[in-house]
Amino acid sequence: MCGIVAYLGEREAYPVLIKGLKRLEYRGYDSAGVALLDNDLHVYKKAGKVSELEAFVADKNINGNIGIGHTRWATHGVPNDTNAHPHMSNSGQFALVHNGIIENYAPIKEQLQKSGYVFHSQTDTEVLVNLIEEVKKQEKVSLEDAVRIALNQVVGAYAIVVIDKENNDRLIAARKGSPLVVGIGEAEFFVASDASPIIEYTKHVVYLDDQEYAIIDRDGTFTVKTLGNVEISPFIQQLQLDLESIEKGGFEHFMLKEIYEQPKVIKDAIRGRMNATDGWIKLGGVSEFANRINNAKRIIITACGTSWHSGLIAEYLIETLARVPVEVEYASEFRYRNPIVNESDVVIAISQSGETADTLAAIEIAKERQALVYGICNVIGSSIARATHAGSYTHAGPEIGVASTKAFTTQVVILTLMALQLAQQKGTISLSYLRQVLYELDNLHVKIEATLKLDSHIKEIAAKIKDVENALYLGRGYNFPVALEGALKLKEISYIHAEGYPAAEMKHGPIALIDENLPVIILATNESAYEKIVSNVQEVKARKGIVIAVVNEGDTQIKQMADYVIEVPKTEEVLSPLITMIPLQLLSYHIAVMRGANVDQPRNLAKSVTVE
Ligand code: M6R
């Protein structure tokens, strides 16, 4: 939610900021703005995409080698020019960009208004920048002290960067609950919400921790302190990211590129973690906590959105293979319902971004109640990766399309390995079956490649149903969460209302929706429930629904009944979501493109949801 970028050095700041904002646009695209400091402080901001800001500043003074920029996902106040960041203090001396929410902004605003401050926007951010100004004035302290004192008064989450019109040699950046990374170059510094705006200039970065702030000076001094005013030694890391991984690489959209990356990232996710011939699995962090994980009385999985769907698949996997009870919880519900969690539980938190506020809060509750918390994250060094006791990275590489694709499949891979490893430890599966599944997993990229070759056929199906208003997705067993995820993919990028259901539940309600206009996407690869799925297909056809069936290659029965068939390579049933998800991703993608929707940046959404 919201992207921040800042620069201090010898280059012109504007090109660095605008390029950085474009890379961060996946985090929010309601408005964008920059503040550039030359002899004067120039603030330009505009509702809409970064490209609209670019057009707006075309004839403006964009000089200056220090500046801050922001791309917004609106929380307080509608997306318009006034609510766009950066926000200025009343005197015009300070400009600030902010990602997060200041929860106690209302009483602070009231107090500031009593002291004569005037507010132009509806944002909590304008309150914060004026609070800093007021503290500086009243306490007669430096900007650094004023920022620290002000941040100690606010409640909520933030990543901020502040610039002072009177000092073009210094930036101050701080974080609590929202990510912030500082890039350290040759006589220059970069600050951003993630490393993507920094990567082409330097690989040396420092990830600020919660309750830390950085004082960044043109003379090369870089100081990190806690909000308690204690200086700490920053840990400088070498970025592993490369520029290619954050560019479209010839694809029309990031989403399509990311769908096509799945054979590769699945290989990356299993590399070094398993061996099919010898029948072993080694997941990071599991051996350190082997005793607690192997003896867990219960596993609770918590996540949001797509990550929650991969958690549902894990419920099937872990209960079937390892016979340990699993509960899967929306993090947003878990955090507020006073859940029963204790030290014999293992909590698995799943998150692509590693920054989802609800998931982070759920982790804190689990930790307070002494559970072991295992994180499955994609973004290296993210808040969730750091907040958990142990964990595994999914190694999917940067996922920029707002609709999650490759992050989902790699999460499912890690969860499959976890389930198999636990089953092996508990003696609930045979070595020969373990080897069989691992062998299949090792070679699954070949079957995913083959599934991707169905793209043009799927595109033809998309063309037939692109104008519908509703769609129903049905699946059983491992394919039920895939049905939910397929429906989520369609609704979030094409704005078609879609629902996912367990196929057998159809008769308890959704069947009423079926008529000749309703596409029903049925996942029919489960051998164990094949006859039952055949009956579901018949039930839909009897009511004239349009059946699009995903079947195993060589299927004959459903093929005869369905209107459209997508034949995918057959795999082990426990691995089937990794195959059946691919056509659903492609189907949503093509429908959204045909409807003229912005696939990578769907309306109202943002890639990482760092607010409640
Ligand atoms: O970064 P996370 O995995 O924690 O994000 C969770 C959801 O916000 C995310 O999966 C969202 O539902 C995606 N837009 C789905 O495509």
Side-chain angles (χ1 to χ4, degrees), residues 110-230:
E110 207 180 307
Q111 205 54 46
L112 289 169
Q113 279 167 327
K114 281 185 191 148
S115 307
Y117 282 82
V118 175
F119 290 89
H120 307 281
S121 76
Q122 299 155 297
T123 66
D124 50 343
T125 307
E126 196 184 7
V127 175
L128 180 57
V129 70
N130 280 309
L131 176 65
I132 292 169
E133 176 156 292
E134 175 66 359
V135 170
K136 186 168 185 324
K137 205 161 75 184
Q138 293 305 326
E139 310 268 334
K140 299 189 174 41
V141 289
S142 65
L143 175 62
E144 178 203 327
D145 289 341
V147 168
R148 190 186 60 253
I149 295 166
L151 290 180
N152 276 305
Q153 291 177 21
V154 301
V155 176
Y158 51 77
I160 59 162
V161 188
V162 194
I163 195 169
D164 177 356
K165 186 178 171 180
E166 307 288 312
N167 183 357
N168 65 4
D169 293 331
R170 173 169 281 193
L171 288 172
I172 296 185
R175 77 155 272 181
K176 183 184 163 214
S178 301
L180 211 52
V181 52
V182 181
I184 303 167
E186 292 287 323
E188 60 183 353
F189 292 97
F190 308 81
V191 184
S193 298
D194 71 28
S196 61
I198 298 175
I199 185 68
E200 69 185 275
Y201 309 106
T202 177
K203 292 222 164 201
H204 302 291
V205 296
V206 171
Y207 286 90
L208 289 188
D209 265 323
D210 266 354
Q211 319 247 26
E212 284 180 2
Y213 68 101
I215 308 118
I216 301 164
D217 286 317
R218 191 179 293 282
D219 67 5
T221 319
F222 171 59
T223 312
V224 178
K225 290 185 176 181
T226 66
L227 285 183
N229 202 13
V230 178

Side-chain angles (χ1 to χ4, degrees), residues 2-7 12-28 32-34 50 53-54 68-71 190-201 243 246 400 601:
C2 302
I4 287 178
V5 61
Y7 177 77
E12 283 300 314
Y14 176 75
V16 177
L17 299 184
I18 212 78
K19 205 180 213 184
L21 290 180
K22 285 184 180 164
R23 296 226 168 104
L24 292 174
E25 210 169 16
Y26 73 89
R27 301 179 66 89
V34 289
V50 176
L53 172 71
E54 236 180 334
I68 57 179
H70 188 270
T71 177
F190 308 81
V191 184
S193 298
D194 71 28
S196 61
I198 298 175
I199 185 68
E200 69 185 275
Y201 309 106
L243 200 53
I246 54 168
I400 293 166
Q601 295 170 348

Side-chain angles (χ1 to χ4, degrees), residues 304-307 350-354 356 402-404 488-489 492 609:
C304 304
T306 291
S307 299
I350 310 170
S351 174
Q352 186 287 129
S353 62
T356 301
V402 165
S404 196
L488 175 62
K489 287 289 84 79
E492 71 179 330
V609 184

